[in-house]
Amino acid sequence: MFVKRLQLSQFRNYSSLDIEPIDGVNILVGENAQGKSALIEAIYLLATSRSFRASDESEMVRHQSPEEKLPALISAEIYRVKQNEAQIDINLHETEKKSVRVNGVKKTRIVDMLGNLNVVLFCAIDLGIVSADPSVRRRYLNIELSQISPKYIIDSSSYKKALEQRNRLLKELRERPHTDIGVLEAWDAQIVQFGAPIMEKRKFFVENLSPIANEIHGELTGGKESLEIRYQPNVSNGGNGFQADFEAAIQKVRYEERRRGVTLVGPQRDDMQFLINGLDARSFASQGQQRTVVLSLKLAEFRLMEEYVGEPPVILLDDVFSDLDDYRRGQLISRVFGKGQTFITCTELHAFGDKTLESAAIYRIRSGTYTRENVSV
Ligand SMILES: Nc1ncnc2c1ncn2[C@@H]1O[C@H](COP(=O)(O)OP(=O)(O)OP(=O)(O)O)[C@@H](O)[C@H]1O
Ligand SMILES: [Mg+2]
């Protein structure tokens, strides 16, 4: 699959843009704050319906004078080997919810727009995934699973709502301890109903990812290191699925939850662990080893996504290429380039080898505009 054409209007610092990227390596080069990441963000949004950096969607609508106030438009033609071409159009408004059309048909539910474009994003925040807060690793699981499982998205959003309600109720119960707790039990059932399948999916995903990452990691380290990725559910799994264990875990913390006024168990407290030769990479691995873990993880994800989808996903590399050393860069290039469409942002071209530059399309990005460059090597 590849993005055949991308059009933007009033998106971030782009007042308008029309670009036809190649089905190969697309290099977005430019100084800081010119709009390179904004382009990656737009493609990512088409695939996932979310931004990987904005918490508030309205942030992406271009700042305009109060009289203008046009919505942001993101449109793309997606070529797919396994399906017909798809046209995706997203409108972002500052005050209303976004609207999405696929082939001209309005999609009211997010899940219905997904699956037309798949991406693997590798951005600066991923470089720290091994040692960052657990929330970064949960975010990673959410992003990956949302792309491959529509049910995961539905469960996650239902879980989030149920959790908010349950927390509100726990807070009330803390203030008024004699209130009937029957209502709380209803919310227990809700968080188990939506939370258990979230944990099942996370477990399944990590268990599939781990052997592939191990194989790649072995190759990257010349057979010196093994890599194991472990899902660490907050609720222990006795082997019969998460439902019964989640219910039991809630019972156990019942008193403590009422005392503290907040939900203490569930997938909102999950984590993931990376083990190099059996040791926790978070505390033992050097910076370089951690970077190799990330690279193995991302390459494994690419392969897994290709398996799920049946064709290579689009690869988005934002601000990571120049942070990798020659060896890791070389590995990345040889493993993904030539397989799928790739977008790479960078501030200088010298990180690329002559062969890559010759076959790539190079776009110079300058304050929300681009020019195609030819580099004679
Ligand atoms: N809603 C918006 N309206 C107008 N401009 C915006 C909006 N949001 C962000 N910008 C601006 O868009 C510019 C491009 O941001 P972007 O993050 O894409 O830059 P970049 O080229 O990736 O830079 P860097 O090399 O630093 O990563 C920035 O100057 C930013 O301030
Ligand atoms: Mg950037």
Side-chain angles (χ1 to χ4, degrees):
M1 75 182 67
F2 70 98
V3 179
K4 225 167 133 183
R5 183 176 186 186
L6 173 70
Q7 290 169 288
L8 301 178
S9 140
Q10 308 302 333
F11 180 80
R12 293 282 188 192
N13 63 333
Y14 290 92
S15 54
S16 84
L17 169 111
D18 190 346
I19 190 167
E20 292 185 33
I22 63 166
D23 181 15
V25 178
N26 295 275
I27 300 176
L28 311 172
V29 59
E31 289 173 13
N32 295 130
Q34 302 303 309
K36 305 182 297 296
S37 298
L39 262 181
I40 301 279
E41 187 179 34
I43 298 168
Y44 185 86
L45 189 75
L46 290 160
T48 65
S49 95
R50 298 204 187 112
S51 163
F52 62 90
R53 51 183 191 163
S55 46
D56 184 351
E57 277 170 8
S58 64
E59 259 176 56
M60 293 182 275
V61 181
R62 195 170 84 96
H63 303 144
Q64 301 158 64
S65 62
E67 315 72 79
E68 273 180 311
K69 289 284 173 226
L70 296 164
L73 311 177
I74 304 107
S75 299
E77 283 171 39
I78 312 295
Y79 175 83
R80 311 256 328 206
V81 180
K82 303 267 169 174
Q83 295 169 21
N84 292 337
E85 283 186 24
Q87 167 78 36
I88 310 176
D89 301 286
I90 303 180
N91 280 29
L92 296 173
H93 306 267
E94 242 173 56
T95 45
E96 300 159 45
K97 265 179 77 177
K98 69 172 165 260
S99 70
V100 180
R101 283 171 196 278
V102 177
N103 296 326
V105 180
K106 193 165 177 165
K107 303 286 174 188
T108 42
R109 298 189 318 163
I110 297 299
V111 283
D112 298 328
M113 80 160 277
L114 301 176
N116 293 294
L117 172 65
N118 297 89
V119 297
V120 169
L121 169 74
F122 188 176
C123 66
I125 196 168
D126 293 321
L127 288 171
I129 194 167
V130 175
S131 54
D133 284 348
S135 63
V136 173
R137 291 183 286 279
R138 283 195 295 274
R139 178 179 163 273
Y140 168 82
L141 288 172
N142 289 340
I143 287 173
E144 297 317 313
L145 280 156
S146 301
Q147 280 200 70
I148 50 189
S149 167
K151 184 164 181 302
Y152 186 87
I153 302 175
I154 299 172
D155 285 338
S156 299
S157 100
S158 307
Y159 183 80
K160 204 172 149 218
K161 280 184 209 140
L163 186 66
E164 277 166 15
Q165 297 286 344
R166 191 171 185 276
N167 282 337
R168 198 167 306 151
L169 186 67
L170 280 167
K171 215 173 264 163
E172 272 175 40
L173 286 172
R174 187 179 54 178
E175 277 143 33
R176 273 175 262 122
H178 300 296
T179 321
D180 171 26
I181 69 157
V183 195
L184 183 62
E185 278 160 7
W187 288 114
D188 292 353
Q190 291 265 313
I191 61 168
V192 171
Q193 183 192 338
F194 302 118
I198 291 176
M199 292 188 275
E200 302 288 356
K201 279 264 157 47
R202 287 178 174 177
K203 180 167 179 275
F204 178 78
F205 175 73
V206 176
E207 283 176 356
N208 277 287
L209 192 69
S210 183
I212 305 174
N214 180 38
E215 189 189 320
I216 295 170
H217 195 80
E219 289 164 16
L220 293 178
T221 57
K224 282 200 211 96
E225 290 178 10
S226 68
L227 172 66
E228 190 194 337
I229 308 176
R230 261 189 218 160
Y231 171 46
Q232 297 185 301
N234 170 256
V235 171
S236 68
N237 178 359
N240 298 320
F242 284 98
Q243 182 150 350
D245 295 297
F246 197 179
E247 279 165 3
I250 292 174
Q251 291 306 323
K252 242 192 219 159
V253 294
R254 174 74 82 217
Y255 173 77
E256 191 60 13
E257 281 189 335
R258 290 193 60 183
R259 195 179 68 80
R260 306 219 337 228
V262 66
T263 302
L264 293 174
V265 286
Q268 75 281 10
R269 292 177 174 232
D270 280 355
D271 202 353
M272 248 164 106
Q273 193 186 27
F274 300 88
L275 299 157
I276 298 179
N277 295 337
L279 296 174
D280 187 352
R282 187 172 182 174
S283 37
F284 289 100
S286 70
Q287 282 294 332
Q289 279 175 308
Q290 293 195 7
R291 292 242 156 143
T292 309
V293 168
V294 177
L295 192 55
S296 305
L297 176 76
K298 286 288 146 182
L299 290 169
E301 202 181 305
F302 177 75
R303 221 196 271 169
L304 198 59
M305 182 90 80
E306 187 179 1
E307 251 172 53
Y308 281 134
V309 180
E311 54 185 302
V314 172
I315 302 160
L316 306 173
L317 305 174
D318 189 26
D319 266 352
V320 285
F321 207 67
S322 50
D323 275 340
L324 296 171
D325 61 14
D326 281 349
Y327 173 72
R328 293 187 183 92
R329 217 156 27 211
Q331 289 294 335
L332 186 58
I333 290 179
S334 64
R335 279 154 199 275
V336 296
F337 289 11
K339 287 206 86 182
Q341 186 182 42
T342 308
F343 292 84
I344 309 176
T345 67
C346 58
T347 48
E348 284 177 49
L349 293 174
H350 67 232
F352 299 93
D354 293 351
K355 254 175 75 189
T356 312
L357 288 179
E358 262 169 44
S359 59
I362 300 164
Y363 302 94
R364 171 80 47 187
I365 314 287
R366 267 195 212 97
S367 44
T369 62
Y370 74 91
T371 43
R372 178 96 186 245
E373 264 183 22
N374 282 313
V375 174
S376 40
V377 283

